[in-house]
Structure formats: C-alpha cells, structure tokens
C-alpha cells in the first residue's frame, strides 16, 4: 500500500484512519475480506491508495442489514474454468490470455503477432464458466505500455454451446453488447459497461475489432499491437435481498482525487418502497477520538437514486465495550449526482470514545423497483496525518553552512530543542527541488519551493537540511504501533526522529554534514526516488516530536536535487523492519566453513559426484544425437524428465501455465495457493496491500541474501558441477529432440549456458517455502508440498532434472536452517511470524472464515489434504529413484536442523527435535544421500517431522506418530 495525496486540510492533533479496498464483491455471499489502510493516523490530512497498475485484492465482507436491495457483485459467482484465444501468447507467464481473467492489472494479455484488429480480422478471447451465469455487466482494464494498443471497438457475445468454446464464429453466439470509439484515460484504468438482465450463458466471447492505434499517442509500431489487462464479468443476478456490493476499482474516468483505487458501490432495488443496506468497510479498528476529529470523504453518486449513501462509525468506550452506531451525517453538505462532493462531519462531540468500525449505509425510503444505485467514494479518512505535503519546514540551503555549526555531534540539529544560533534557516512548504538554474524536474516531481543548487564557485551544494515538528498525545500513542512515512528524494536521504536515524537510502558513505555522497554510493542519475519507512512507537514522545531530513548530492556536478515528504501517518498495523534491522550483518550472513576451505555449498552437495558416476541414474554430460528415442535413453534422470515434460496435453494445459507463472514469479507469492483456497487468497491480498512488510522483506530477499550482496550461494556449486540442462542435452521435439518447448525460445536460450545442478529456482522455492512453513507450522505439509511442486515445475519445463531439484532443496533447507539457528536473525523471523498470524487472523475474521489462520484454511478448499501433502512431499524427495548408497545406516541429522522445528514443536527441546527428525527421516542410500560426516539433508523429511504427533516420556524416549523411539530416533520395544 502506498501513501498518496488526498483532499482536505485541518489543524490540531487528531487521529486518522483511511480505508482502501479492492475489486470484488461485498455482497452477503462474499467469501473474502479485506483489511486495508493504515489506521489510525495523526496531524495533517492524509490518504492512501494503490499505485496505478498495482493488483487489487478481493472485496470486503458484507455485514449489517439489507432490505429490498440486491448487491451487485463485482464478478460472476461461477469460476472461469478455461480461457481461449486465437492469439493466446501461451508461453508467457504474465502476458498470456489467461492473465485476462486474473483480475490483476499487473499482468496482461498481449495478443502477440495479432496485428491491428479489424471487423474482417477480429481478435477474440473466450471464457468458459464452470457453470452458466447471467452476466449483467463487464469491465475492461487497460494494460501498461502504450495506449495505441488499447481495445477501442469490440463485441461481447454469449453462447450455451460447447462447440462455441473452440469456434469464435459458431452460429450459436448471441450478441450482448457492442462498443465503438472507446478510450482509457490512464494505464490500469477500468471502464464499466452494463448489459442488463440476460440469459445465463456458459461461454462468453470478447471480440475486438479495433484498437486505439493512431487516435492515441504512441509509436507507429504500437498501432499494430493489442493488449488488455483484464476482462471481468459482472452479475447482479438474484431475487433475494443482500448487502450492497462494494469494492475498490479505478475511478480515473470520473475524476476521483486519486482515482487508482476509489471505492465503488453498486446494487439493484428489487421492489418499490423502502430499500436499505449496511456494509462493514473496516473492522478491528481502535481509533481514539479527540475534540478536533472529523470524518471526511469524497462521494460521487451516479444519479439521484444513488445519492442515498452515507458513512457511519461504530463507537466503543475506552475499554472496547458497549458498541453503538453513530450516524455521522453529511455535515450539512448537499451531495450532487454526477459530481464529486467532499463531505466532512464533525466527530468532536464524541471525544474520548473509540471507533471500532466504519460502515457504508444505503437508505432510500422511496426506492423505485429496478433502480441501480451506483457511485464512488474516495479520500475516506478520520483526521489528519502528522506530516504531509502541506507541512511547513525549516530548511537550510546556504552554501558552506553546517546546521550543527561545526559541532562534534553532527546530528545535534535533528533533536528537539536544538538552538540554531546564527544558522540562516528559512521556512517554506515542500516539495523542494532544483534543476540546473530552475525547478523543472518533470510533471511527476512538482516543486513548490526552489533550492539553491550552485555555489558561487559553480559546484552543487553538498547537502540540504530540513526540520519540522508535530505533537502526539497519550491516547494516540497508546492506540498505534508507530508511523508509516513516504519520502521522495534525489540523490540520497537520511530521516531522523528526535535525533534517531529511522531511515536512510544511499547514505552509507555520509560521515559529515557538508559532504558529497561519493565515491561508493549512488550515481545520481535518474529521477527522484520514492521510499517508504516505518517508525516504531517507542521512538515517539508524548508532546513535541522533531522530524529532520538531510539530502546529499552525489557529487559536485549533479544538476538536480529533490525532497518531498508525501506523508507521515500513524498506523495500528504491522510496521516494516527498520533499516538497522535489515542492514545489520548477522552471523548467518556468512557461509559455514567447509573442510579444506572450499566453497561450502559445493562441498555440501558433493554426493552429486556419486549420482553422476551412476549411469543408471544420470546420463553422460553430453548432447544426445538428434533423433534419439525415448527407448534409447538409459538414465532414469533423462526418462523422468521426458515423462514429466511430455505429460501436459498442450500449451493451454493449466499445469504448463502454473509452471510458467512459478518460473516468472517470486515463490512466496506464486505459492500462495499452498495455504488453501480461502487463506491463500487472503495471504495474497495482504501481500498486495503491503500489510505484511516484515514477512515480505524476509521472504523477498533478506533470508537468502546479505545486506551488501544479492549473490546466490548456490551459484559457485552450479559453476563447479557444470552439468548440461535437459533441453540442451536432449533437444526440442521440433528439431528431432525429445523435449516439449513450453516456455518461450528466449526463456530457454537465456539459461542454455548455465549449469543445471543444483536448481537455483528450486533453492529459492524451498528457502522461501520452508521459512513460510515455519511461520505457519499448522499448514507446513501443504506449504512444503507446494514448494515441492514449484521445484517439480522446473522439470516440467525441462530446465532441470529431478537430481537438480533434490540439490536445490538441500540448498534451501540449509539456508532456512542457518537463519533459524542464528539468534539475532531468529528475532526477525519471530516478529514476522507474529505479523503473519495477526494479519491473517484479522482478515479471516473479516471474511467470516474463522478467527485463526488454521480455522480459515479449514474453511476453504485445501491445496491438498494433509495425508496427500505428506505423501507428495515424500515422493519428490527421491522421485522414487533406487538407492545407490549403503543401506541400513543409522539416522544422520545435520547440525542445526532441529531449529527448523522450533515453531512446529515449541515445547520440545533441541535434542528432542533432533530425535523427531531422526525418527521421520528417509532410510539411507538414496540419490544425493550424504553418508559421511555432517549428517544428511537428503534424508530429512521436513514435512513429516513438522506434522509429527509427539509425546515425551520420562525415560527420555519419545513416541513419534505412534512409534516409541530412543534419542537417536531408533525404534525401541514394540
């Protein structure tokens, strides 16, 4: 989630909360919830929304009462089971035709090689629904890149014939809507089109007959291309009352303040007379009200029938008891249909109480049957941010003047009460900037106050300094976790609060106030950069707080400078890790020492040599002659690749698409379905909303990388072993080879020269998947089975062999273990676990799916039943390969592996956890089983160990899954 500018202003210290939402139904049948925004906030006004093009999560839960009204849902209630096109672009994970149905404007359908569509040569996409549904409207969302590629004319058709799914010209197609001369005002903008009540068809076709071409600004080459982010079918079918539908969608075309994520409401009156609906927009709040608190929002009803809408707040006492609903009213403001109106209602009389919910209420005592109340709400907030773009700053841009007056403590000027002496501070509001002799840094970086860029000698100023202050009361401090801020800067920035550095970017070389950032930092090239940061509540004080910022130039020839502070606002949600937490070098950032001093992961995977020297397992490291047949393959590794790679029915096979998505995406995101149908959706929403900053920071990079390097630890081993990839050795079937080419030619060409063992993608998948499993141990079998599928998909695409997947798993396991075994880094993991559980539990409650992640997962369709997940994971540990090493050896648990069970078995000691790993591990002798010193990661069945039912006995033995074992994990007695 990103903090952005909204409407309104005000003075005094008040607590604020903003709502953001998503595309998706808020009806009584909605099965998803959405906890968004950053609440509460204090000082200056604020607003939050998604950046244009950011994927929107699914809708709000509907609660409260309904009367004589049917909520219009944002999509049909049946699932799109298949998507077809004459230009499917199937080899792309993010630009294929399937992306048209994912309701994610961050992906798109690029109709590769389609040319400009015409009436004589249209381009089509066909949706087949799992069950027929009556569609009463639809929306199209523009994609990124160039406007000439946007659809401008199209026809929407419906059919009941299954033949129509494969034939866009089938005679059964019925025209439902035709549009011409359409335009999209921005990238990621959704346009809406009604159909009225129609027949319930199973198949729907979007038949595009023109693009914007030369009518939109862009290159001549783009006029011959076609792209579209989303085509979403909508339905208001139903005859019983339900809650008004709500969801966040683009309102650029109607002039919303921000427009990229305005809340849209919609419904249909079933019969003349009183009609009403109440929908909970945000629950779980704890916003204390003060004498200056106000509720404000911008509203744009589409017509007079849609203007009967207002927002209510649910209040409790200081202890969260005795809830009651307060109708805030419009503050005397008349809402004008078809126009944006800002409504501001005084809540000062409610000072001392706390807001626990915000609700949207529709109420028309004289509604007309068939009326469709629709409209938009934007800039919803209570109160103000502590700092925003209207804040006045003291600033210093005088050449050769040190704000600390040359004192030994160069940061003294950042503290409250600092005496500036004769330093010539000025006052003005931002944004601040300079470009050569002016202030033109482009439309995206407006400048309100110009800075001095040049010294008399001609060089740029080394640095610029800014100070402001804000107040916090005790009630606000008690209600928040801290502050979330967004700063825009060029070239470097350091942010201080009450003298404490709370954020910094590109400032690693700064040692003096009057200093350029060179030699080892930013180059200074490019536009100003936006950065978000968090301030823990422990850094705040009751009363006055001082915010200070320094911006340094990269060198004396820099031609521009910029500083803008979009907002600093209170939040009760999870805060990101601080720069200090992520930037600290932990012991686990250093690879362990291997015997002889060689690369550690090359040594850890040394059993690969045994596999490579076993012809029945691995083929010779050479390209096979063209025309080699499957029957001529002698290595099990080769045959298994062909079995898996050749299994899909074609490029439209769902598993091929999933493999492409896995390969192109971050594992911790693409594997969200491992959490199950309901919880996985909520997890994905939380990631997209920015509600899991700690979890995302660890999974997206910090677990696998060090503060100063993004190098992959497995790469040296890959370079040492240099085994050729399957598609390189066995060739493609269109050239007398054996491999089906599911990915793009460029995808294969880009990896052809890189070694196959171990699989880098798989190491990432397991490192992130194992950590996620430790954060949600109750779902460990499913998450780990999904991680195994992520690795298996590399075999399906023929980028890797099963042995590569085994090696990648070992790297991922060791990486995760090192982090959990590091006490300092473990604190980050534990904070992430608390964040993940708290956020998902809240979202589950709002979705009406239980009060914990485990109950929420149980309420939806699981990725796999637990028994199946355990079986799948175990099978992919060895792929059923025969044992090639010594059998019957005692269990061998690597040092530190027990730390991976800390969350799954928190009541056991380290030695007991090692016993569980020993009792559940595979027998010795499998491929890649290390039989020397140090234990064997290949034998560890982590899913079985995490899911094991364990009982400890006084004699030191354990019962693990019904079997009594000694400390070494060996069975004792019967």
């Amino acid at each position: 989630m990103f903090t952005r500018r909204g409407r309104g202003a005000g003075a005094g210290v008040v607590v604020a909360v903003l709502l953001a939402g998503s595309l998706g139904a808020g009806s009584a049948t909605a099965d998803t919830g959405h906890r968004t925004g950053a609440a509460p906030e204090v000082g200056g006004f604020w607003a939050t929304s998604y950046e244009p093009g950011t994927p929107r999560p699914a809708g709000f839960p509907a609660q409260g009462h309904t009367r004589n009204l049917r909520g219009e849902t944002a999509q049909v209630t049946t699932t799109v089971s298949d998507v077809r096109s004459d230009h499917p672009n199937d080899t792309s994970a993010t630009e294929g035709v399937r992306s048209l149905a994912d309701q994610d404007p961050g992906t798109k359908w690029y109709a590769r090689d389609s040319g400009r569509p015409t009436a004589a040569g249209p381009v089509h996409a066909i949706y087949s629904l799992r069950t027929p549904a009556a569609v009463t409207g639809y929306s199209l969302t523009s994609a990124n890149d160039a406007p000439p590629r946007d659809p401008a004319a199209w026809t929407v058709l419906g059919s009941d014939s299954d033949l129509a799914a494969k034939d866009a010209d089938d005679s059964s197609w019925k025209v439902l809507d035709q549009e011409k001369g359409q335009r999209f005002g921005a990238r990621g903008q959704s346009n809406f089109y009604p159909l009225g009540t129609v027949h319930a068809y199973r198949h729907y076709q979007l038949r595009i007959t023109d693009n914007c071409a030369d009518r939109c600004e862009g290159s001549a080459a783009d006029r011959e291309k076609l792209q579209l982010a989303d085509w979403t079918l909508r339905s208001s079918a139903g005859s019983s009352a339900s809650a008004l539908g709500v969801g966040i969608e683009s309102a650029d075309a109607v002039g919303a303040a921000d427009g990229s994520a305005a809340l849209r409401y919609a419904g249909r009156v079933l019969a003349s007379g009183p009609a009403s609906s109440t929908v909970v927009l945000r629950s779980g709040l704890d916003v204390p009200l003060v004498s200056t608190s106000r509720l404000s929002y911008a509203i744009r009803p589409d017509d007079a029938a849609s203007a009967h809408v207002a927002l209510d707040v649910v209040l409790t006492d200081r202890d969260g008891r005795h809830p009651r609903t307060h109708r805030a009213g419009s503050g005397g403001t008349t809402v004008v249909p078809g126009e944006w109106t800002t409504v501001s209602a005084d809540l000062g009389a409610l000072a001392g109480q706390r807001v626990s919910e915000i609700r949207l209420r529709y109420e028309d005592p004289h509604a007309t049957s068939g009326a469709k109340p629709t409209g938009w709400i934007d800039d919803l907030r209570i109160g103000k941010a502590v700092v925003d773009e209207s804040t006045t700053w003291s600033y210093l841009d005088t050449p050769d003047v040190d704000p600390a007056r040359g004192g030994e403590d160069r940061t003294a000027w950042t503290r409250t009460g600092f005496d500036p002496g004769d330093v010539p501070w000025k006052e003005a509001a931002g944004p601040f900037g300079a470009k050569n002799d002016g202030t033109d840094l482009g439309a995206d970086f407006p400048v309100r106050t110009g800075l001095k860029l040049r010294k008399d000698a001609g060089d740029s100023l080394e640095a610029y300094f800014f100070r402001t202050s804000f107040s916090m009361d005790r009630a606000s401090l008690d209600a928040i976790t801290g502050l979330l801020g967004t700063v825009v800067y060029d070239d470097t920035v350091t942010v201080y609060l009450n003298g404490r550095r709370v954020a910094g970017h590109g400032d690693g070389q700064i040692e003096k106030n009057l200093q350029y950032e060179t030699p080892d930092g930013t180059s200074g090239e490019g536009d100003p950069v936006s950065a978000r940061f968090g301030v823990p509540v422990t850094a705040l004080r009751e009363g006055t707080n001082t915010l200070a910022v320094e911006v340094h130039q990269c060198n004396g020839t820099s031609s521009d400078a910029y500083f803008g502070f979009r907002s600093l606002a209170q939040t009760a949600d999870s805060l990101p890790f601080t720069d200090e937490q992520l930037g600290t070098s932990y012991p686990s950032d250093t690879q362990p020492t291997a015997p002889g001093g060689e690369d550690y992961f090359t040594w850890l995977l040394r059993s690969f040599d045994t596999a490579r020297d076993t012809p029945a397992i691995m083929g010779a490291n050479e390209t096979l002659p063209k025309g080699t047949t499957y029957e001529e393959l002698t290595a099990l590794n080769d045959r298994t690749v062909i079995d898996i790679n050749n299994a899909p029915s074609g490029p439209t096979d769902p598993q091929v698409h999933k493999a492409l998505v896995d390969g192109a995406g971050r594992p911790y995101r693409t594997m969200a379905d491992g959490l199950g149908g309901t919880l996985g959706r909520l997890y994905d929403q939380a990631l997209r909303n920015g509600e899991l900053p700690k979890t995302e920071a660890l999974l997206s990079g910090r677990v696998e990388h060090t503060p100063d390097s993004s190098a992959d630890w497995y790469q040296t081993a890959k370079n040492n072993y240099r085994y050729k990839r399957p598609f390189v050795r066995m060739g493609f079937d269109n050239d007398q080879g054996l491999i089906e080419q599911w990915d793009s030619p460029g995808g294969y060409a880009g990896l052809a020269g890189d070694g196959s063992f171990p699989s880098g993608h798989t190491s990432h998948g397991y490192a992130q998947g194992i950590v996620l499993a430790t954060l949600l141990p109750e779902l460990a079998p499913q998450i780990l089975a999904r991680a195994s599928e992520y690795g298996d998909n590399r075999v399906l695409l023929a980028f890797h062999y099963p042995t590569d997947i085994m090696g990648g798993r070992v790297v991922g396991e060791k990486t995760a273990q090192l982090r959990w075994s590091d006490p300092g880094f473990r604190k980050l993991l534990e904070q992430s676990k608390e964040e993940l559980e708290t956020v998902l539990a809240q979202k589950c409650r709002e979705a009406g799916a239980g009060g914990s992640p485990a109950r929420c997962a149980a309420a939806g369709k699981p990725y796999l039943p637990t028994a199946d997940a355990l079986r799948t994971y175990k099978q992919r540990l060895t792929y059923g390969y025969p044992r090639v090493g010594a059998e019957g050896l005692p269990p061998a648990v690597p040092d530190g592996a027990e730390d991976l069970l800390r969350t799954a078995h928190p009541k056991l000691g380290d030695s007991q956890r090692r016993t569980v790993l020993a009792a559940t591990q595979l027998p010795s002798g499998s491929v890649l089983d290390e039989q020397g010193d140090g234990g064997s990661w290949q034998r560890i069945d982590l899913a079985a160990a995490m899911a094991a039912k364990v009982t400890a006995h006084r004699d030191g033995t354990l019962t693990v899954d019904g079997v009594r074992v000694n400390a070494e994990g060996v069975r004792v007695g019967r």
Side-chain angles (χ1 to χ4, degrees):
M1 183 171 307
F2 300 85
T3 308
R4 313 195 77 197
R5 182 167 55 88
R7 294 186 180 87
V13 178
V14 292
V15 178
V17 58
L18 170 113
L19 285 174
S22 67
L23 193 66
S27 71
T29 58
D31 61 355
T32 55
H34 183 31
R35 181 174 187 253
T36 61
E41 302 218 1
V42 106
F45 72 90
W46 72 292
T48 300
S49 69
Y50 302 102
E51 295 285 8
T54 301
R56 294 178 298 263
F60 296 93
Q63 299 179 20
H65 69 275
T66 58
R67 181 179 183 183
N68 197 18
L69 188 101
R70 175 69 187 182
E72 179 181 296
T73 65
Q75 60 184 16
V76 295
T77 55
T78 53
T79 303
V80 175
S81 61
D82 192 26
V83 185
R84 296 173 181 265
S85 172
D86 50 344
H87 293 279
N89 197 10
D90 284 322
T91 59
S92 174
T94 58
E95 297 187 350
V97 71
R98 290 179 180 273
S99 297
L100 199 60
D102 64 5
Q103 296 185 54
D104 179 354
T107 63
K108 69 182 181 184
W109 170 39
Y110 169 48
R112 185 181 298 277
D113 301 325
S114 67
R116 179 176 178 177
T118 64
V123 177
H124 71 262
I126 296 174
Y127 285 177
S128 293
L129 308 184
R130 194 158 293 167
T131 57
V135 173
T136 56
Y138 63 94
S139 64
L140 299 185
T141 302
S142 61
N144 64 349
D145 289 333
R149 302 182 183 189
D150 292 341
W154 60 81
T155 302
V156 174
L157 309 98
S159 173
D160 286 321
S161 171
D162 289 341
L163 296 176
K166 300 179 181 179
D167 184 358
D169 298 316
D170 188 81
S171 60
S172 65
W173 286 109
K174 306 295 182 184
V175 174
L176 307 179
D177 183 51
Q178 288 184 307
E179 302 290 341
K180 295 181 180 180
Q182 298 299 300
R183 297 284 289 271
F184 295 85
R187 302 301 85 205
Q189 175 182 307
S190 297
N191 289 351
F192 304 91
Y193 303 90
L195 293 179
T197 303
V198 297
H199 176 76
Y201 293 107
R202 183 162 184 263
H203 308 287
Y204 289 87
Q205 179 185 167
L206 176 66
R207 193 178 184 89
I208 301 172
T209 53
D210 198 7
N211 62 4
C212 200
D214 54 352
R215 298 184 295 276
C216 288
E217 184 176 352
S219 69
D222 284 318
R223 299 171 189 172
E224 301 301 317
K225 298 176 181 179
L226 177 66
Q227 66 175 27
L228 183 64
D230 287 305
W231 173 36
T232 301
L233 303 179
R234 309 165 111 31
S235 174
S236 60
S239 57
S240 60
S242 65
L244 193 70
V246 295
I248 286 295
E249 297 168 3
S250 170
D252 291 335
V254 293
D258 175 80
S260 65
L263 187 148
R264 180 178 184 266
Y265 62 89
R268 178 167 58 92
V269 177
L270 300 176
S272 296
S276 60
S277 177
T278 300
V279 184
V280 175
L281 299 184
R282 180 72 191 267
S283 64
L285 302 179
D286 183 21
V287 184
L289 297 178
V290 295
S291 59
T292 53
S293 295
R294 301 188 70 84
L295 170 68
S296 61
Y297 54 94
I299 183 170
R300 185 188 186 278
D302 287 343
D303 53 34
S306 306
H308 302 278
V309 171
L311 299 186
D312 300 336
V313 293
V314 176
L315 304 170
T316 67
D317 60 19
R318 292 180 182 273
D319 298 321
R321 299 176 301 179
H322 310 301
R324 65 183 182 87
T325 301
H326 173 75
R327 295 194 173 194
S330 62
T333 303
T334 301
V335 177
V336 181
E339 297 180 9
W340 282 100
T341 304
T342 297
V343 173
S344 181
D346 185 7
L347 300 180
L350 306 172
Q353 300 185 65
R354 309 177 91 87
V355 176
S356 62
E357 288 183 356
I358 297 181
R359 297 179 175 182
L360 172 66
R361 171 172 46 88
Y362 171 84
E363 193 168 25
D364 183 359
H366 306 292
T368 303
S369 177
K372 293 184 177 181
T374 57
W376 303 86
I377 293 177
D378 204 4
D379 287 350
L380 172 58
R381 60 191 180 275
I382 302 176
K384 304 168 58 181
V386 298
V387 175
D388 65 11
E389 289 181 325
S390 68
T391 297
T392 297
W393 294 79
S394 296
Y395 72 101
L396 177 61
D397 67 347
T398 303
D400 302 319
V401 176
D402 183 349
R405 294 178 293 172
E408 184 175 344
D409 181 1
R410 79 173 189 89
T411 64
W413 65 278
T414 68
R415 300 188 181 96
T416 302
F418 172 71
D419 180 7
D422 58 356
V423 174
W425 291 89
K426 310 171 188 177
E427 288 194 351
F432 301 84
K435 176 70 173 180
N436 293 320
D437 296 325
T439 59
D440 185 9
L441 284 91
D444 293 333
F445 305 102
V447 173
R448 182 179 298 178
T449 301
L451 295 172
K452 288 186 177 180
L453 182 67
R454 305 285 181 194
K455 296 181 177 182
D456 293 339
D459 286 347
S460 295
L461 271 65
E462 294 96 330
Y464 310 87
F465 306 90
F466 308 86
R467 281 171 49 98
T468 192
S469 62
F470 57 89
S471 294
M472 299 287 293
D473 59 23
R474 175 48 53 187
S476 298
L477 292 174
D478 290 343
I480 64 174
T481 56
L483 306 177
L484 283 174
T486 302
V487 62
V488 187
Y489 65 93
D490 190 325
D491 291 317
T492 78
V493 69
T494 309
V495 182
Y496 304 89
L497 186 68
N498 299 325
R500 171 182 172 182
R501 181 184 183 274
V502 293
H505 297 275
D507 61 342
Q509 303 298 316
I510 304 298
E511 298 178 348
K512 299 184 295 184
N513 285 336
L514 301 183
Q515 172 200 334
Y516 295 116
E517 203 277 339
T518 52
D520 298 323
T522 177
S523 67
E525 299 177 355
D527 290 333
V529 177
S530 175
R532 298 179 72 234
F533 63 93
V535 179
V537 69
T538 54
L540 296 166
R541 300 171 178 170
E542 185 175 358
T544 301
N545 292 263
T546 297
L547 181 69
V549 180
E550 60 181 272
V551 173
H552 287 255
Q553 293 286 72
C554 64
N555 53 49
T557 62
S558 180
S559 63
D560 60 352
Y562 196 81
F563 167 65
F565 217 101
R566 289 181 176 168
S567 76
L568 184 65
Q570 293 182 11
T571 180
D573 292 335
S574 180
L575 288 172
F577 286 121
T578 64
D579 292 346
E580 182 180 3
Q581 287 174 302
L582 293 179
T584 295
S585 182
Y586 296 92
S588 55
D589 285 322
T590 302
Q591 292 186 34
T593 301
E598 64 180 306
D599 172 68
Y600 177 77
F601 282 96
T602 300
W603 173 83
L604 185 67
L605 297 169
R606 61 195 182 279
S607 54
F608 175 76
D609 291 332
T610 301
R612 183 175 50 192
D613 295 338
T614 307
I617 299 296
M618 295 184 64
N621 192 22
E622 58 188 29
T623 302
L624 300 180
K626 290 184 178 181
T628 299
T629 65
Y630 178 84
E631 289 70 21
E632 293 174 299
L633 297 176
T634 58
L636 188 56
N637 228 15
D638 294 345
R639 283 183 168 241
T640 304
V641 170
I642 301 304
D643 290 342
I644 295 174
N645 167 260
N646 286 189
S649 58
T652 61
D653 190 297
Q655 195 61 42
V656 170
H657 180 70
K658 194 171 189 179
L660 292 172
V661 171
D662 273 356
R666 295 287 190 91
Y668 73 95
R669 285 185 175 274
T670 67
M671 298 192 306
D673 59 325
L675 278 64
T678 298
L679 188 63
R681 207 159 46 239
L682 298 178
Y683 168 75
D684 184 60
Q685 289 173 16
L687 287 173
R688 296 187 190 201
N689 298 350
E691 296 175 89
L692 297 171
K694 290 184 171 70
T695 303
E696 184 155 24
L698 297 186
L699 295 181
S700 66
R702 192 60 183 89
V703 163
E704 297 180 80
H705 298 135
T706 67
D708 54 2
S709 174
S710 59
D712 295 316
W713 282 356
Y714 58 77
Q715 191 60 48
T716 300
K718 186 185 285 280
N719 294 340
N720 284 332
Y721 290 118
R722 299 299 299 174
Y723 194 74
K724 297 180 186 296
R725 292 177 180 263
F727 69 90
V728 174
R729 289 185 55 248
M730 294 184 280
F732 295 113
D733 60 358
N734 60 6
D735 188 28
Q736 302 181 59
L738 293 164
I739 300 298
E740 291 282 356
Q741 187 171 335
W742 301 127
D743 205 340
S744 65
Y748 287 106
L751 294 176
D754 192 31
S756 186
F757 180 87
S759 166
H761 273 75
T762 302
S763 73
H764 295 309
Y766 273 103
Q768 295 170 38
I770 290 171
V771 170
L772 183 59
T774 61
L775 302 183
L776 290 172
E778 58 270 46
L779 293 175
Q782 286 78 12
I783 295 172
L784 293 174
R786 180 64 179 93
S788 77
E789 181 190 22
Y790 183 91
D792 192 63
N793 279 337
R794 302 306 289 169
V795 181
L796 185 146
L797 298 177
F799 284 116
H800 287 287
Y801 306 90
T803 48
D804 302 340
I805 307 308
M806 299 174 202
R809 188 191 69 253
V810 169
V811 174
E813 283 179 316
K814 183 62 182 179
T815 301
Q817 174 262 304
L818 288 172
R819 294 311 195 183
W820 272 106
S821 297
D822 181 343
F825 200 92
R826 188 188 306 150
K827 293 179 180 179
L828 304 185
L829 292 164
E830 290 168 346
Q831 291 179 43
S832 175
K833 183 176 185 294
E834 180 181 6
E835 171 193 78
L836 187 61
E837 290 175 337
T838 300
V839 170
L840 291 183
Q842 176 67 19
K843 296 181 79 66
C844 290
R845 285 192 293 271
E846 293 180 353
S852 70
R855 290 183 179 179
C856 194
K861 183 179 180 181
Y863 168 71
L864 285 174
T866 298
D868 291 346
L870 292 170
R871 188 162 45 250
T872 297
Y873 184 81
K874 186 172 185 177
Q875 191 276 332
R876 288 179 180 148
L877 292 178
T878 65
Y879 279 82
Y881 284 14
R883 299 182 199 177
V884 297
E887 301 182 36
L889 298 179
V893 178
D895 289 342
E898 65 274 8
D899 288 312
L900 293 176
L901 299 188
R902 282 179 171 270
T903 60
H905 299 291
K907 295 182 180 180
L908 299 182
D910 287 344
S911 61
Q912 291 173 317
R913 296 186 189 112
R914 290 183 62 83
T915 299
V916 174
L917 287 167
T920 55
Q921 72 174 211
L922 302 181
S924 66
S926 63
V927 175
L928 296 193
D929 175 27
E930 179 49 52
Q931 301 186 333
D933 296 334
S936 173
W937 284 105
Q938 173 61 10
R939 294 190 216 170
I940 297 296
D941 186 343
L942 188 59
M946 294 187 76
K949 293 179 172 57
V950 182
T951 302
H953 304 290
R954 291 182 180 180
D955 63 358
T957 63
L958 299 179
T959 296
V960 180
D961 291 332
V963 178
R964 195 153 183 163
V965 296
N966 61 20
E968 288 72 39
V970 177
R971 183 171 188 157
V972 294
R974 295 184 58 186

